[in-house]
Amino acid sequence: MNKEYTKVSPSDPSVNAYTTTLSTVKAEIDYKRKKCRYVRKDGKCNVLFRHVPEEWLMYVTDIFTTLVEIRWRVMFLIFALSYIFSWLFFGIIYWVIAMANGDMKDPTNAPCVYEVRDFTGAFLFSLETQTTIGYGFRGMSENCMVAIIVVTVQDVISCFIDTFVIGIAVAKMASARKRAQTVGFSNCAVINLQNGQLCLSWRIGDFRRHHMVEGKARAQIFRPNMHATGTEDVNYKDLEIKQSDLILAIPTTIIHVIEPSSPLYRMSLEDLRKDDFELVVSFTYTDDSTGILHQTRTSYTPDEIHWGHLFQEMLNVNRRYYKVDYSMFHHTAKVLRPCINRKPPTVTPEYKMDSIFVSHPSTHNTP
């Protein structure tokens, strides 16, 4: 049977308010999450890879990306150890050279390195050479060509280490993930009637000042599928977004019209609460200050999609400014709930509009 989406008012005598409320409460209670999230709220994919062939080799081969993605404390530890090990390595070489030249046994002998009589002196000379400290006590002599070659090699290697450390630090600070944290989505999505059409919508905003971001919004329905054989796979279906190309100067509401081609078509509140899918939304954009491509992601489960809610206004326009109140970014207000009316198959579904707000709209803020 065909279904029609309309708004139902509790004062409407043609509607059994008790039955409608009871069915709604029953749908809320019967709803249970069967699967874990595919994409977490912070945008990270909740995927664990097992038995990847030559996993460590791939991380070492692409060492630059590996160091960019690891945590800061691990990166600092790796860089500190790289400096310490290089100082120790060349200190041992200087110590061996001094022993071979007899600097340890005969203080009157012409040394390869001045004031290097033991391993401690060799280590300090290595540290002073690589960090270009130069206290003035220890220094090279022209007596040993091998020591001169070792100093030259150490200087070149120290330049490579410094360049690598600075490049990794700059790449981590300019990481797209950090910029993506300043462009966020609302905690929930809403379903309501707009211009006679049932629409699914969510909010996106740039929390930094003086940054106009231009990008493209996308949305997909992620639905796990269990086969009769016991195997499980994942189905993806794109949602058509109205005006997907955005200039994010102010917070914007992304709208998907639930048309016959939509995967959410013919879905009621009860169907929504019983379904097991995940709405994955993303916004890919280029930052105007750095020119770097970024992507912000999040997801909504059926219990985070509020049926019969509307995002509250957060934009106030005066003669000088467009004022945006971000305290209302996640707030929604209840409206007259869209309801499905069943009609004979010969009747084409239509959308009816009643008044939008109830007399006392309640505010919902999803944690």
Side-chain angles (χ1 to χ4, degrees):
M1 297 179 66
N2 291 336
K3 301 179 180 179
E4 176 188 354
Y5 295 101
T6 59
K7 286 188 174 181
V8 178
S9 173
S11 60
D12 191 348
S14 62
V15 177
N16 190 331
Y18 175 78
T19 305
T20 304
T21 305
L22 186 61
S23 61
T24 303
V25 174
K26 183 178 179 181
E28 296 284 352
I29 295 176
D30 291 342
Y31 174 74
K32 295 180 180 180
R33 289 295 295 150
K34 299 179 182 179
K35 302 292 182 180
C36 61
R37 303 186 77 101
Y38 177 64
V39 177
R40 296 197 291 264
K41 296 299 288 184
D42 58 0
K44 296 180 180 179
C45 294
N46 194 25
V47 179
L48 177 63
F49 294 99
R50 299 289 300 276
H51 308 295
V52 179
E54 299 181 350
E55 182 177 6
W56 286 103
L57 180 61
M58 290 187 292
Y59 282 116
V60 174
T61 304
D62 191 11
I63 187 65
F64 185 85
T65 305
T66 302
L67 292 176
V68 170
E69 292 180 347
I70 63 176
R71 302 186 178 212
W72 278 100
R73 56 178 176 267
V74 179
M75 187 195 71
F76 286 144
L77 178 62
I78 293 176
F79 288 161
L81 292 177
S82 65
Y83 280 114
I84 293 174
F85 286 152
S86 64
W87 298 337
L88 285 173
F89 174 75
F90 286 101
I92 293 173
I93 294 178
Y94 294 133
W95 180 53
V96 172
I97 292 174
M99 290 183 61
N101 192 53
D103 298 342
M104 304 291 185
K105 300 178 180 179
D106 186 7
T108 62
N109 186 32
C112 291
V113 182
Y114 296 111
E115 300 298 330
V116 174
R117 304 297 180 181
D118 52 15
F119 177 75
T120 303
F123 175 77
L124 292 176
F125 175 73
S126 174
L127 187 151
E128 294 169 9
T129 300
Q130 188 163 333
T131 57
T132 65
I133 294 178
Y135 288 118
F137 297 100
R138 301 175 183 86
M140 289 297 305
S141 68
E142 64 279 4
N143 299 325
C144 299
M145 182 58 64
V146 176
I148 296 175
I149 294 175
V150 172
V151 170
T152 304
V153 173
Q154 185 178 8
D155 289 339
V156 174
I157 292 178
S158 67
C159 291
F160 277 109
I161 294 177
D162 294 340
T163 303
F164 201 71
V165 170
I166 295 173
I168 294 295
V170 172
K172 283 186 71 67
M173 289 187 291
S175 175
R177 294 181 180 179
K178 301 301 180 182
R179 180 64 179 97
Q181 293 177 0
T182 63
V183 176
F185 295 91
S186 56
N187 290 335
C188 64
V190 298
I191 293 180
N192 51 49
L193 283 177
Q194 299 183 22
N195 299 326
Q197 293 179 311
L198 193 67
C199 298
L200 168 68
S201 58
W202 58 93
R203 262 180 177 167
I204 182 173
D206 185 7
F207 303 128
R208 291 179 63 93
R209 297 183 178 180
H210 312 299
H211 283 273
M212 185 176 294
V213 178
E214 181 178 1
K216 184 178 183 63
R218 288 194 60 189
Q220 282 187 330
I221 290 291
F222 162 81
R223 193 188 303 272
N225 186 21
M226 181 67 71
H227 297 278
T229 58
T231 60
E232 186 173 0
D233 59 7
V234 178
N235 293 331
Y236 299 91
K237 292 185 178 180
D238 290 327
L239 296 185
E240 184 178 353
I241 296 178
K242 185 179 180 181
Q243 297 178 349
S244 59
D245 296 323
L246 305 173
I247 298 179
L248 203 61
I250 59 175
T252 305
T253 300
I254 311 297
I255 299 175
H256 164 68
V257 180
I258 303 179
E259 298 175 327
S261 59
S262 172
L264 303 178
Y265 188 65
R266 299 176 179 272
M267 182 176 290
S268 64
L269 174 60
E270 291 78 8
D271 299 332
L272 177 67
R273 290 295 175 258
K274 293 178 182 179
D275 207 337
D276 184 28
F277 68 89
E278 189 170 335
L279 173 62
V280 179
V281 298
S282 65
F283 183 62
T284 306
Y285 56 95
T286 302
D287 190 8
D288 62 342
S289 60
T290 61
I292 300 176
L293 187 67
H294 305 271
Q295 186 182 70
T296 303
R297 297 181 300 269
T298 191
S299 67
Y300 301 104
T301 55
D303 58 334
E304 294 170 341
I305 301 176
H306 300 303
W307 190 285
H309 282 245
L310 187 70
F311 284 113
Q312 291 190 351
E313 293 293 334
M314 55 185 301
L315 181 63
N316 184 19
V317 182
N318 57 25
R319 294 183 178 180
R320 297 184 60 186
Y321 301 106
Y322 287 81
K323 295 183 179 181
V324 179
D325 183 9
Y326 266 104
S327 64
M328 308 300 294
F329 185 74
H330 302 289
H331 285 246
T332 64
K334 289 185 178 180
V335 297
L336 297 180
R337 179 179 294 115
C339 184
I340 298 177
N341 293 335
R342 302 180 184 273
K343 291 188 176 182
T346 56
V347 180
T348 304
E350 297 178 354
Y351 297 96
K352 296 181 180 180
M353 285 291 294
D354 294 333
S355 59
I356 295 181
F357 290 99
V358 296
S359 56
H360 300 284
S362 60
T363 301
H364 179 85
N365 187 11
T366 303

